[in-house]
Amino acid sequence: MFDNIFGIHEQALLVHGERLGVLTNNLANADTPGYKARDIDFREALQGAGAGAEGAEPLALTTTSPSHLTAMASDATASLKYRNPYQASLDGNTVEMPVEQAAFAENNVRYQASLTFINNRIADLQYVLSGQ
Amino acid sequence: MSLFSVFDIAGSALNAETIRLNTTASNLANSESVDGDPTKVYRARHPVFQTLLDTSSADLDSESAGAGVSVRGIVESTTPPTKRLDPNNPLADKDGYVYLSNVNSIEEMTNMISANRSFATDVDAINTARDLLLKTISMGH
């Protein structure tokens, strides 16, 4: 019963963490000639993290015994894609600061949202366990 | 790659932007430098940035995520220095000419603004990662 206690948010937190690193790399290379901005395809990465709650887990390990543990390794870098720039600069750099900053802020909010859901779940369980 | 990698990536960017600010300061300080020899006069210097790749990653193909930015080298501007007649200058050559450094002050000022913005963005990224990590650590409290 406790395997799926946090639902999708456990994996979502991992993928958002990975995405934060990728977006920071874009921001860091905003002035590097020839650098191509990248981003994680969130839907694909989440499926890759084995998060399909309905049993659709394309990359999950096959378990032959109920006592086997499911794999938790996140392979979000496999779903790294290059961003299509609105207007590429002459030096071949495709980082567009407003786009990256917007994606960074959005990722930040989504990470905190997942964290809030997990915290609420923990608070619920503690409330139930305390039996008051 | 985890949240902690943000500190390494943004840290390398802070370092690179600091070098860029340093060259800008050097260029602005020497914008009025003169010399009697056109090959010896100060020339504007600019850093060239290069993406660092994550060497700790198992797959070293192009698909693996980068790990920040480094300064590959510093190049000197090839714009020819301006020649000015100034016979009273002790540095003037035998014909009374001095050569001015080829620093373009406006270019340097815009470069400084760009470096400043990038630096602020990187500090912002570090602060965001720190906040998220602290919130993650205090999960369930």
Side-chain angles (χ1 to χ4, degrees), chain A residues 21-32 35 93 95 97 100 104, chain B residues 5-6 8-14 16-17 20 49-52 66-70 118-119 121-122 125:
Chain A
V22 174
L23 293 176
T24 308
N25 206 30
N26 288 346
L27 293 175
N29 284 290
D31 299 309
T32 309
Y35 177 81
N93 187 305
V95 178
M97 239 12 182
E100 301 302 332
F104 192 85
Chain B
S5 68
V6 171
D8 295 333
I9 296 170
S12 72
L14 289 182
E17 297 298 345
R20 189 170 164 206
F49 288 178
Q50 184 183 32
T51 311
L52 279 174
V69 62
S70 69
S118 298
F119 196 95
T121 308
D122 295 326

PDB file of all heavy atoms in Angstrom, chain A residues 21-32 35 93 95 97 100 104, chain B residues 5-6 8-14 16-17 20 49-52 66-70 118-119 121-122 125:
ATOM      1  N   GLY A  21      18.777  21.444 -13.509  1.00  0.00           N
ATOM      2  CA  GLY A  21      20.185  21.401 -13.905  1.00  0.00           C
ATOM      3  C   GLY A  21      20.369  21.745 -15.373  1.00  0.00           C
ATOM      4  O   GLY A  21      21.259  22.511 -15.743  1.00  0.00           O
ATOM      5  N   VAL A  22      19.494  21.184 -16.224  1.00  0.00           N
ATOM      6  CA  VAL A  22      19.607  21.437 -17.671  1.00  0.00           C
ATOM      7  C   VAL A  22      19.362  22.908 -17.982  1.00  0.00           C
ATOM      8  O   VAL A  22      20.088  23.532 -18.759  1.00  0.00           O
ATOM      9  CB  VAL A  22      18.609  20.539 -18.437  1.00  0.00           C
ATOM     10  CG1 VAL A  22      18.600  20.884 -19.911  1.00  0.00           C
ATOM     11  CG2 VAL A  22      18.953  19.076 -18.247  1.00  0.00           C
ATOM     12  N   LEU A  23      18.331  23.488 -17.320  1.00  0.00           N
ATOM     13  CA  LEU A  23      18.004  24.896 -17.581  1.00  0.00           C
ATOM     14  C   LEU A  23      19.112  25.817 -17.060  1.00  0.00           C
ATOM     15  O   LEU A  23      19.440  26.820 -17.696  1.00  0.00           O
ATOM     16  CB  LEU A  23      16.665  25.254 -16.941  1.00  0.00           C
ATOM     17  CG  LEU A  23      15.447  24.559 -17.556  1.00  0.00           C
ATOM     18  CD1 LEU A  23      14.181  24.906 -16.788  1.00  0.00           C
ATOM     19  CD2 LEU A  23      15.278  24.955 -19.012  1.00  0.00           C
ATOM     20  N   THR A  24      19.702  25.451 -15.910  1.00  0.00           N
ATOM     21  CA  THR A  24      20.817  26.251 -15.387  1.00  0.00           C
ATOM     22  C   THR A  24      21.982  26.227 -16.366  1.00  0.00           C
ATOM     23  O   THR A  24      22.672  27.225 -16.563  1.00  0.00           O
ATOM     24  CB  THR A  24      21.280  25.707 -14.028  1.00  0.00           C
ATOM     25  OG1 THR A  24      20.156  25.604 -13.174  1.00  0.00           O
ATOM     26  CG2 THR A  24      22.301  26.621 -13.386  1.00  0.00           C
ATOM     27  N   ASN A  25      22.191  25.057 -16.990  1.00  0.00           N
ATOM     28  CA  ASN A  25      23.263  24.948 -17.976  1.00  0.00           C
ATOM     29  C   ASN A  25      23.007  25.878 -19.160  1.00  0.00           C
ATOM     30  O   ASN A  25      23.936  26.497 -19.679  1.00  0.00           O
ATOM     31  CB  ASN A  25      23.367  23.501 -18.441  1.00  0.00           C
ATOM     32  CG  ASN A  25      24.740  23.164 -18.927  1.00  0.00           C
ATOM     33  OD1 ASN A  25      25.720  23.723 -18.470  1.00  0.00           O
ATOM     34  ND2 ASN A  25      24.807  22.277 -19.878  1.00  0.00           N
ATOM     35  N   ASN A  26      21.748  25.993 -19.570  1.00  0.00           N
ATOM     36  CA  ASN A  26      21.411  26.923 -20.651  1.00  0.00           C
ATOM     37  C   ASN A  26      21.728  28.358 -20.235  1.00  0.00           C
ATOM     38  O   ASN A  26      22.293  29.128 -21.014  1.00  0.00           O
ATOM     39  CB  ASN A  26      19.922  26.816 -20.997  1.00  0.00           C
ATOM     40  CG  ASN A  26      19.598  25.533 -21.723  1.00  0.00           C
ATOM     41  OD1 ASN A  26      20.499  24.851 -22.198  1.00  0.00           O
ATOM     42  ND2 ASN A  26      18.337  25.199 -21.791  1.00  0.00           N
ATOM     43  N   LEU A  27      21.344  28.702 -18.999  1.00  0.00           N
ATOM     44  CA  LEU A  27      21.594  30.067 -18.511  1.00  0.00           C
ATOM     45  C   LEU A  27      23.097  30.332 -18.435  1.00  0.00           C
ATOM     46  O   LEU A  27      23.573  31.413 -18.786  1.00  0.00           O
ATOM     47  CB  LEU A  27      20.969  30.266 -17.130  1.00  0.00           C
ATOM     48  CG  LEU A  27      19.443  30.247 -17.063  1.00  0.00           C
ATOM     49  CD1 LEU A  27      18.977  30.333 -15.611  1.00  0.00           C
ATOM     50  CD2 LEU A  27      18.856  31.397 -17.849  1.00  0.00           C
ATOM     51  N   ALA A  28      23.863  29.312 -17.987  1.00  0.00           N
ATOM     52  CA  ALA A  28      25.306  29.476 -17.842  1.00  0.00           C
ATOM     53  C   ALA A  28      25.982  29.676 -19.188  1.00  0.00           C
ATOM     54  O   ALA A  28      26.993  30.361 -19.287  1.00  0.00           O
ATOM     55  CB  ALA A  28      25.906  28.273 -17.131  1.00  0.00           C
ATOM     56  N   ASN A  29      25.414  29.077 -20.247  1.00  0.00           N
ATOM     57  CA  ASN A  29      26.031  29.152 -21.571  1.00  0.00           C
ATOM     58  C   ASN A  29      25.351  30.177 -22.472  1.00  0.00           C
ATOM     59  O   ASN A  29      25.392  30.053 -23.696  1.00  0.00           O
ATOM     60  CB  ASN A  29      26.014  27.774 -22.228  1.00  0.00           C
ATOM     61  CG  ASN A  29      27.076  26.860 -21.652  1.00  0.00           C
ATOM     62  OD1 ASN A  29      28.253  27.058 -21.877  1.00  0.00           O
ATOM     63  ND2 ASN A  29      26.655  25.890 -20.856  1.00  0.00           N
ATOM     64  N   ALA A  30      24.722  31.175 -21.857  1.00  0.00           N
ATOM     65  CA  ALA A  30      23.983  32.168 -22.642  1.00  0.00           C
ATOM     66  C   ALA A  30      24.899  32.935 -23.589  1.00  0.00           C
ATOM     67  O   ALA A  30      24.440  33.462 -24.596  1.00  0.00           O
ATOM     68  CB  ALA A  30      23.267  33.139 -21.711  1.00  0.00           C
ATOM     69  N   ASP A  31      26.195  33.019 -23.286  1.00  0.00           N
ATOM     70  CA  ASP A  31      27.128  33.782 -24.129  1.00  0.00           C
ATOM     71  C   ASP A  31      28.183  32.898 -24.779  1.00  0.00           C
ATOM     72  O   ASP A  31      29.197  33.405 -25.237  1.00  0.00           O
ATOM     73  CB  ASP A  31      27.804  34.865 -23.281  1.00  0.00           C
ATOM     74  CG  ASP A  31      26.812  35.839 -22.710  1.00  0.00           C
ATOM     75  OD1 ASP A  31      26.002  36.353 -23.494  1.00  0.00           O
ATOM     76  OD2 ASP A  31      26.829  36.083 -21.490  1.00  0.00           O
ATOM     77  N   THR A  32      27.957  31.574 -24.791  1.00  0.00           N
ATOM     78  CA  THR A  32      28.936  30.669 -25.394  1.00  0.00           C
ATOM     79  C   THR A  32      28.642  30.511 -26.883  1.00  0.00           C
ATOM     80  O   THR A  32      27.542  30.090 -27.238  1.00  0.00           O
ATOM     81  CB  THR A  32      28.877  29.292 -24.717  1.00  0.00           C
ATOM     82  OG1 THR A  32      28.956  29.477 -23.307  1.00  0.00           O
ATOM     83  CG2 THR A  32      29.989  28.400 -25.186  1.00  0.00           C
ATOM     84  N   TYR A  35      26.663  27.273 -28.727  1.00  0.00           N
ATOM     85  CA  TYR A  35      25.961  26.412 -27.759  1.00  0.00           C
ATOM     86  C   TYR A  35      24.488  26.278 -28.163  1.00  0.00           C
ATOM     87  O   TYR A  35      23.849  27.255 -28.526  1.00  0.00           O
ATOM     88  CB  TYR A  35      26.060  26.994 -26.350  1.00  0.00           C
ATOM     89  CG  TYR A  35      25.304  26.194 -25.320  1.00  0.00           C
ATOM     90  CD1 TYR A  35      25.847  25.044 -24.769  1.00  0.00           C
ATOM     91  CD2 TYR A  35      24.029  26.570 -24.914  1.00  0.00           C
ATOM     92  CE1 TYR A  35      25.152  24.296 -23.841  1.00  0.00           C
ATOM     93  CE2 TYR A  35      23.318  25.831 -23.991  1.00  0.00           C
ATOM     94  CZ  TYR A  35      23.887  24.697 -23.458  1.00  0.00           C
ATOM     95  OH  TYR A  35      23.195  23.950 -22.538  1.00  0.00           O
ATOM     96  N   ASN A  93      24.538  30.424 -31.198  1.00  0.00           N
ATOM     97  CA  ASN A  93      23.983  30.175 -29.864  1.00  0.00           C
ATOM     98  C   ASN A  93      22.457  30.263 -29.929  1.00  0.00           C
ATOM     99  O   ASN A  93      21.912  31.187 -30.524  1.00  0.00           O
ATOM    100  CB  ASN A  93      24.540  31.233 -28.898  1.00  0.00           C
ATOM    101  CG  ASN A  93      24.166  30.958 -27.467  1.00  0.00           C
ATOM    102  OD1 ASN A  93      22.992  30.823 -27.146  1.00  0.00           O
ATOM    103  ND2 ASN A  93      25.156  30.854 -26.618  1.00  0.00           N
ATOM    104  N   VAL A  95      20.443  30.043 -27.098  1.00  0.00           N
ATOM    105  CA  VAL A  95      19.857  30.369 -25.791  1.00  0.00           C
ATOM    106  C   VAL A  95      19.136  31.705 -25.906  1.00  0.00           C
ATOM    107  O   VAL A  95      19.730  32.702 -26.320  1.00  0.00           O
ATOM    108  CB  VAL A  95      20.943  30.454 -24.701  1.00  0.00           C
ATOM    109  CG1 VAL A  95      20.312  30.848 -23.380  1.00  0.00           C
ATOM    110  CG2 VAL A  95      21.669  29.140 -24.567  1.00  0.00           C
ATOM    111  N   MET A  97      17.328  34.220 -23.517  1.00  0.00           N
ATOM    112  CA  MET A  97      17.228  34.481 -22.080  1.00  0.00           C
ATOM    113  C   MET A  97      15.785  34.486 -21.557  1.00  0.00           C
ATOM    114  O   MET A  97      15.509  33.803 -20.574  1.00  0.00           O
ATOM    115  CB  MET A  97      17.907  35.812 -21.773  1.00  0.00           C
ATOM    116  CG  MET A  97      19.055  35.797 -20.795  1.00  0.00           C
ATOM    117  SD  MET A  97      19.753  34.258 -20.317  1.00  0.00           S
ATOM    118  CE  MET A  97      20.966  34.791 -19.163  1.00  0.00           C
ATOM    119  N   GLU A 100      14.373  30.960 -21.422  1.00  0.00           N
ATOM    120  CA  GLU A 100      15.009  30.130 -20.390  1.00  0.00           C
ATOM    121  C   GLU A 100      14.566  30.555 -18.997  1.00  0.00           C
ATOM    122  O   GLU A 100      14.317  29.707 -18.137  1.00  0.00           O
ATOM    123  CB  GLU A 100      16.535  30.220 -20.497  1.00  0.00           C
ATOM    124  CG  GLU A 100      17.113  29.773 -21.826  1.00  0.00           C
ATOM    125  CD  GLU A 100      16.759  28.350 -22.175  1.00  0.00           C
ATOM    126  OE1 GLU A 100      16.549  27.535 -21.252  1.00  0.00           O
ATOM    127  OE2 GLU A 100      16.658  28.048 -23.366  1.00  0.00           O
ATOM    128  N   PHE A 104      12.647  28.344 -16.360  1.00  0.00           N
ATOM    129  CA  PHE A 104      13.271  28.154 -15.036  1.00  0.00           C
ATOM    130  C   PHE A 104      12.261  28.456 -13.929  1.00  0.00           C
ATOM    131  O   PHE A 104      12.097  27.673 -12.982  1.00  0.00           O
ATOM    132  CB  PHE A 104      14.477  29.083 -14.930  1.00  0.00           C
ATOM    133  CG  PHE A 104      15.374  28.805 -13.760  1.00  0.00           C
ATOM    134  CD1 PHE A 104      16.369  27.856 -13.849  1.00  0.00           C
ATOM    135  CD2 PHE A 104      15.219  29.505 -12.580  1.00  0.00           C
ATOM    136  CE1 PHE A 104      17.187  27.594 -12.778  1.00  0.00           C
ATOM    137  CE2 PHE A 104      16.039  29.242 -11.501  1.00  0.00           C
ATOM    138  CZ  PHE A 104      17.031  28.288 -11.606  1.00  0.00           C
TER     139      PHE A 104
ATOM    140  N   SER B   5      24.056  19.808  -8.759  1.00  0.00           N
ATOM    141  CA  SER B   5      24.866  20.174  -9.929  1.00  0.00           C
ATOM    142  C   SER B   5      24.643  21.629 -10.315  1.00  0.00           C
ATOM    143  O   SER B   5      25.486  22.218 -10.996  1.00  0.00           O
ATOM    144  CB  SER B   5      24.531  19.257 -11.099  1.00  0.00           C
ATOM    145  OG  SER B   5      23.233  19.510 -11.554  1.00  0.00           O
ATOM    146  N   VAL B   6      23.501  22.191  -9.886  1.00  0.00           N
ATOM    147  CA  VAL B   6      23.226  23.602 -10.200  1.00  0.00           C
ATOM    148  C   VAL B   6      24.333  24.494  -9.637  1.00  0.00           C
ATOM    149  O   VAL B   6      24.764  25.455 -10.275  1.00  0.00           O
ATOM    150  CB  VAL B   6      21.850  24.019  -9.637  1.00  0.00           C
ATOM    151  CG1 VAL B   6      21.640  25.515  -9.763  1.00  0.00           C
ATOM    152  CG2 VAL B   6      20.751  23.276 -10.360  1.00  0.00           C
ATOM    153  N   ASP B   8      27.505  23.747  -9.184  1.00  0.00           N
ATOM    154  CA  ASP B   8      28.710  23.645 -10.016  1.00  0.00           C
ATOM    155  C   ASP B   8      28.535  24.422 -11.322  1.00  0.00           C
ATOM    156  O   ASP B   8      29.427  25.166 -11.744  1.00  0.00           O
ATOM    157  CB  ASP B   8      29.003  22.176 -10.336  1.00  0.00           C
ATOM    158  CG  ASP B   8      29.356  21.397  -9.089  1.00  0.00           C
ATOM    159  OD1 ASP B   8      29.861  22.024  -8.141  1.00  0.00           O
ATOM    160  OD2 ASP B   8      29.115  20.180  -9.062  1.00  0.00           O
ATOM    161  N   ILE B   9      27.371  24.217 -11.968  1.00  0.00           N
ATOM    162  CA  ILE B   9      27.139  24.838 -13.277  1.00  0.00           C
ATOM    163  C   ILE B   9      27.100  26.361 -13.149  1.00  0.00           C
ATOM    164  O   ILE B   9      27.832  27.085 -13.834  1.00  0.00           O
ATOM    165  CB  ILE B   9      25.817  24.308 -13.879  1.00  0.00           C
ATOM    166  CG1 ILE B   9      25.912  22.807 -14.159  1.00  0.00           C
ATOM    167  CG2 ILE B   9      25.474  25.058 -15.145  1.00  0.00           C
ATOM    168  CD1 ILE B   9      24.597  22.172 -14.512  1.00  0.00           C
ATOM    169  N   ALA B  10      26.251  26.846 -12.220  1.00  0.00           N
ATOM    170  CA  ALA B  10      26.128  28.294 -12.058  1.00  0.00           C
ATOM    171  C   ALA B  10      27.432  28.883 -11.512  1.00  0.00           C
ATOM    172  O   ALA B  10      27.810  30.000 -11.867  1.00  0.00           O
ATOM    173  CB  ALA B  10      24.956  28.625 -11.139  1.00  0.00           C
ATOM    174  N   GLY B  11      28.143  28.112 -10.685  1.00  0.00           N
ATOM    175  CA  GLY B  11      29.432  28.584 -10.161  1.00  0.00           C
ATOM    176  C   GLY B  11      30.447  28.784 -11.272  1.00  0.00           C
ATOM    177  O   GLY B  11      31.160  29.795 -11.295  1.00  0.00           O
ATOM    178  N   SER B  12      30.497  27.828 -12.224  1.00  0.00           N
ATOM    179  CA  SER B  12      31.432  27.975 -13.343  1.00  0.00           C
ATOM    180  C   SER B  12      31.063  29.190 -14.185  1.00  0.00           C
ATOM    181  O   SER B  12      31.941  29.891 -14.698  1.00  0.00           O
ATOM    182  CB  SER B  12      31.436  26.711 -14.199  1.00  0.00           C
ATOM    183  OG  SER B  12      30.242  26.601 -14.931  1.00  0.00           O
ATOM    184  N   ALA B  13      29.743  29.432 -14.301  1.00  0.00           N
ATOM    185  CA  ALA B  13      29.301  30.598 -15.080  1.00  0.00           C
ATOM    186  C   ALA B  13      29.685  31.896 -14.372  1.00  0.00           C
ATOM    187  O   ALA B  13      30.094  32.859 -15.025  1.00  0.00           O
ATOM    188  CB  ALA B  13      27.796  30.539 -15.295  1.00  0.00           C
ATOM    189  N   LEU B  14      29.570  31.908 -13.033  1.00  0.00           N
ATOM    190  CA  LEU B  14      29.972  33.107 -12.274  1.00  0.00           C
ATOM    191  C   LEU B  14      31.448  33.393 -12.498  1.00  0.00           C
ATOM    192  O   LEU B  14      31.853  34.544 -12.684  1.00  0.00           O
ATOM    193  CB  LEU B  14      29.696  32.904 -10.785  1.00  0.00           C
ATOM    194  CG  LEU B  14      28.243  32.898 -10.339  1.00  0.00           C
ATOM    195  CD1 LEU B  14      28.156  32.725  -8.837  1.00  0.00           C
ATOM    196  CD2 LEU B  14      27.551  34.171 -10.752  1.00  0.00           C
ATOM    197  N   ALA B  16      33.266  32.494 -15.121  1.00  0.00           N
ATOM    198  CA  ALA B  16      33.473  32.958 -16.499  1.00  0.00           C
ATOM    199  C   ALA B  16      33.053  34.416 -16.652  1.00  0.00           C
ATOM    200  O   ALA B  16      33.760  35.211 -17.288  1.00  0.00           O
ATOM    201  CB  ALA B  16      32.695  32.071 -17.466  1.00  0.00           C
ATOM    202  N   GLU B  17      31.917  34.773 -16.042  1.00  0.00           N
ATOM    203  CA  GLU B  17      31.445  36.159 -16.163  1.00  0.00           C
ATOM    204  C   GLU B  17      32.376  37.115 -15.421  1.00  0.00           C
ATOM    205  O   GLU B  17      32.547  38.265 -15.830  1.00  0.00           O
ATOM    206  CB  GLU B  17      30.019  36.290 -15.619  1.00  0.00           C
ATOM    207  CG  GLU B  17      28.964  35.480 -16.363  1.00  0.00           C
ATOM    208  CD  GLU B  17      28.792  35.872 -17.817  1.00  0.00           C
ATOM    209  OE1 GLU B  17      29.260  36.945 -18.209  1.00  0.00           O
ATOM    210  OE2 GLU B  17      28.190  35.077 -18.558  1.00  0.00           O
ATOM    211  N   ARG B  20      35.140  37.840 -17.671  1.00  0.00           N
ATOM    212  CA  ARG B  20      34.670  38.774 -18.703  1.00  0.00           C
ATOM    213  C   ARG B  20      34.635  40.207 -18.152  1.00  0.00           C
ATOM    214  O   ARG B  20      35.055  41.152 -18.833  1.00  0.00           O
ATOM    215  CB  ARG B  20      33.275  38.331 -19.138  1.00  0.00           C
ATOM    216  CG  ARG B  20      32.742  39.052 -20.339  1.00  0.00           C
ATOM    217  CD  ARG B  20      31.492  38.349 -20.793  1.00  0.00           C
ATOM    218  NE  ARG B  20      30.705  39.138 -21.694  1.00  0.00           N
ATOM    219  CZ  ARG B  20      29.396  38.983 -21.838  1.00  0.00           C
ATOM    220  NH1 ARG B  20      28.756  38.075 -21.127  1.00  0.00           N
ATOM    221  NH2 ARG B  20      28.736  39.713 -22.685  1.00  0.00           N
ATOM    222  N   PHE B  49      34.144  31.915 -24.602  1.00  0.00           N
ATOM    223  CA  PHE B  49      33.524  30.921 -23.726  1.00  0.00           C
ATOM    224  C   PHE B  49      33.396  29.576 -24.435  1.00  0.00           C
ATOM    225  O   PHE B  49      33.248  29.513 -25.651  1.00  0.00           O
ATOM    226  CB  PHE B  49      32.131  31.384 -23.276  1.00  0.00           C
ATOM    227  CG  PHE B  49      32.171  32.517 -22.293  1.00  0.00           C
ATOM    228  CD1 PHE B  49      31.000  33.088 -21.825  1.00  0.00           C
ATOM    229  CD2 PHE B  49      33.373  33.006 -21.820  1.00  0.00           C
ATOM    230  CE1 PHE B  49      31.026  34.126 -20.916  1.00  0.00           C
ATOM    231  CE2 PHE B  49      33.414  34.046 -20.915  1.00  0.00           C
ATOM    232  CZ  PHE B  49      32.238  34.601 -20.467  1.00  0.00           C
ATOM    233  N   GLN B  50      33.456  28.520 -23.623  1.00  0.00           N
ATOM    234  CA  GLN B  50      33.306  27.164 -24.167  1.00  0.00           C
ATOM    235  C   GLN B  50      32.476  26.341 -23.183  1.00  0.00           C
ATOM    236  O   GLN B  50      32.665  26.449 -21.966  1.00  0.00           O
ATOM    237  CB  GLN B  50      34.692  26.538 -24.326  1.00  0.00           C
ATOM    238  CG  GLN B  50      34.674  25.179 -24.955  1.00  0.00           C
ATOM    239  CD  GLN B  50      36.061  24.579 -25.022  1.00  0.00           C
ATOM    240  OE1 GLN B  50      36.893  24.826 -24.156  1.00  0.00           O
ATOM    241  NE2 GLN B  50      36.319  23.785 -26.037  1.00  0.00           N
ATOM    242  N   THR B  51      31.595  25.493 -23.723  1.00  0.00           N
ATOM    243  CA  THR B  51      30.774  24.640 -22.853  1.00  0.00           C
ATOM    244  C   THR B  51      31.623  23.539 -22.240  1.00  0.00           C
ATOM    245  O   THR B  51      32.393  22.896 -22.940  1.00  0.00           O
ATOM    246  CB  THR B  51      29.634  24.001 -23.655  1.00  0.00           C
ATOM    247  OG1 THR B  51      28.987  25.006 -24.402  1.00  0.00           O
ATOM    248  CG2 THR B  51      28.639  23.314 -22.749  1.00  0.00           C
ATOM    249  N   LEU B  52      31.462  23.346 -20.920  1.00  0.00           N
ATOM    250  CA  LEU B  52      32.108  22.214 -20.254  1.00  0.00           C
ATOM    251  C   LEU B  52      31.186  21.015 -20.393  1.00  0.00           C
ATOM    252  O   LEU B  52      29.978  21.154 -20.283  1.00  0.00           O
ATOM    253  CB  LEU B  52      32.305  22.508 -18.771  1.00  0.00           C
ATOM    254  CG  LEU B  52      33.497  23.347 -18.344  1.00  0.00           C
ATOM    255  CD1 LEU B  52      33.396  23.629 -16.858  1.00  0.00           C
ATOM    256  CD2 LEU B  52      34.773  22.602 -18.627  1.00  0.00           C
ATOM    257  N   GLY B  66      25.446  19.091 -20.436  1.00  0.00           N
ATOM    258  CA  GLY B  66      26.678  19.832 -20.169  1.00  0.00           C
ATOM    259  C   GLY B  66      26.830  20.093 -18.689  1.00  0.00           C
ATOM    260  O   GLY B  66      25.951  19.797 -17.893  1.00  0.00           O
ATOM    261  N   ALA B  67      27.984  20.621 -18.310  1.00  0.00           N
ATOM    262  CA  ALA B  67      28.240  20.862 -16.891  1.00  0.00           C
ATOM    263  C   ALA B  67      28.845  22.234 -16.683  1.00  0.00           C
ATOM    264  O   ALA B  67      29.808  22.378 -15.963  1.00  0.00           O
ATOM    265  CB  ALA B  67      29.122  19.773 -16.326  1.00  0.00           C
ATOM    266  N   GLY B  68      28.297  23.227 -17.342  1.00  0.00           N
ATOM    267  CA  GLY B  68      28.760  24.581 -17.102  1.00  0.00           C
ATOM    268  C   GLY B  68      29.535  25.175 -18.260  1.00  0.00           C
ATOM    269  O   GLY B  68      29.463  24.702 -19.388  1.00  0.00           O
ATOM    270  N   VAL B  69      30.300  26.212 -17.943  1.00  0.00           N
ATOM    271  CA  VAL B  69      30.985  26.965 -18.984  1.00  0.00           C
ATOM    272  C   VAL B  69      32.386  27.303 -18.477  1.00  0.00           C
ATOM    273  O   VAL B  69      32.612  27.426 -17.273  1.00  0.00           O
ATOM    274  CB  VAL B  69      30.166  28.245 -19.325  1.00  0.00           C
ATOM    275  CG1 VAL B  69      30.044  29.167 -18.146  1.00  0.00           C
ATOM    276  CG2 VAL B  69      30.746  28.981 -20.505  1.00  0.00           C
ATOM    277  N   SER B  70      33.334  27.368 -19.408  1.00  0.00           N
ATOM    278  CA  SER B  70      34.689  27.760 -19.020  1.00  0.00           C
ATOM    279  C   SER B  70      35.211  28.780 -20.020  1.00  0.00           C
ATOM    280  O   SER B  70      34.650  28.940 -21.106  1.00  0.00           O
ATOM    281  CB  SER B  70      35.610  26.539 -19.009  1.00  0.00           C
ATOM    282  OG  SER B  70      35.808  26.084 -20.319  1.00  0.00           O
ATOM    283  N   SER B 118      24.030  38.500 -16.918  1.00  0.00           N
ATOM    284  CA  SER B 118      24.281  37.063 -16.844  1.00  0.00           C
ATOM    285  C   SER B 118      24.677  36.664 -15.427  1.00  0.00           C
ATOM    286  O   SER B 118      24.223  35.641 -14.907  1.00  0.00           O
ATOM    287  CB  SER B 118      25.375  36.663 -17.824  1.00  0.00           C
ATOM    288  OG  SER B 118      24.986  36.942 -19.132  1.00  0.00           O
ATOM    289  N   PHE B 119      25.513  37.487 -14.808  1.00  0.00           N
ATOM    290  CA  PHE B 119      25.965  37.212 -13.440  1.00  0.00           C
ATOM    291  C   PHE B 119      24.763  37.172 -12.498  1.00  0.00           C
ATOM    292  O   PHE B 119      24.607  36.245 -11.694  1.00  0.00           O
ATOM    293  CB  PHE B 119      26.944  38.310 -13.006  1.00  0.00           C
ATOM    294  CG  PHE B 119      27.776  37.967 -11.807  1.00  0.00           C
ATOM    295  CD1 PHE B 119      29.047  37.440 -11.961  1.00  0.00           C
ATOM    296  CD2 PHE B 119      27.294  38.167 -10.531  1.00  0.00           C
ATOM    297  CE1 PHE B 119      29.822  37.120 -10.866  1.00  0.00           C
ATOM    298  CE2 PHE B 119      28.056  37.846  -9.424  1.00  0.00           C
ATOM    299  CZ  PHE B 119      29.324  37.325  -9.589  1.00  0.00           C
ATOM    300  N   THR B 121      21.651  36.590 -13.240  1.00  0.00           N
ATOM    301  CA  THR B 121      20.828  35.412 -13.525  1.00  0.00           C
ATOM    302  C   THR B 121      21.403  34.170 -12.864  1.00  0.00           C
ATOM    303  O   THR B 121      20.663  33.360 -12.296  1.00  0.00           O
ATOM    304  CB  THR B 121      20.745  35.196 -15.050  1.00  0.00           C
ATOM    305  OG1 THR B 121      20.340  36.409 -15.658  1.00  0.00           O
ATOM    306  CG2 THR B 121      19.772  34.096 -15.389  1.00  0.00           C
ATOM    307  N   ASP B 122      22.734  34.031 -12.911  1.00  0.00           N
ATOM    308  CA  ASP B 122      23.379  32.849 -12.332  1.00  0.00           C
ATOM    309  C   ASP B 122      23.247  32.846 -10.808  1.00  0.00           C
ATOM    310  O   ASP B 122      23.024  31.788 -10.206  1.00  0.00           O
ATOM    311  CB  ASP B 122      24.841  32.789 -12.759  1.00  0.00           C
ATOM    312  CG  ASP B 122      24.984  32.584 -14.249  1.00  0.00           C
ATOM    313  OD1 ASP B 122      24.124  31.886 -14.813  1.00  0.00           O
ATOM    314  OD2 ASP B 122      25.925  33.128 -14.850  1.00  0.00           O
ATOM    315  N   ALA B 125      19.874  31.644 -10.071  1.00  0.00           N
ATOM    316  CA  ALA B 125      19.749  30.186 -10.212  1.00  0.00           C
ATOM    317  C   ALA B 125      20.269  29.490  -8.962  1.00  0.00           C
ATOM    318  O   ALA B 125      19.656  28.534  -8.464  1.00  0.00           O
ATOM    319  CB  ALA B 125      20.515  29.720 -11.448  1.00  0.00           C
TER     320      ALA B 125
END
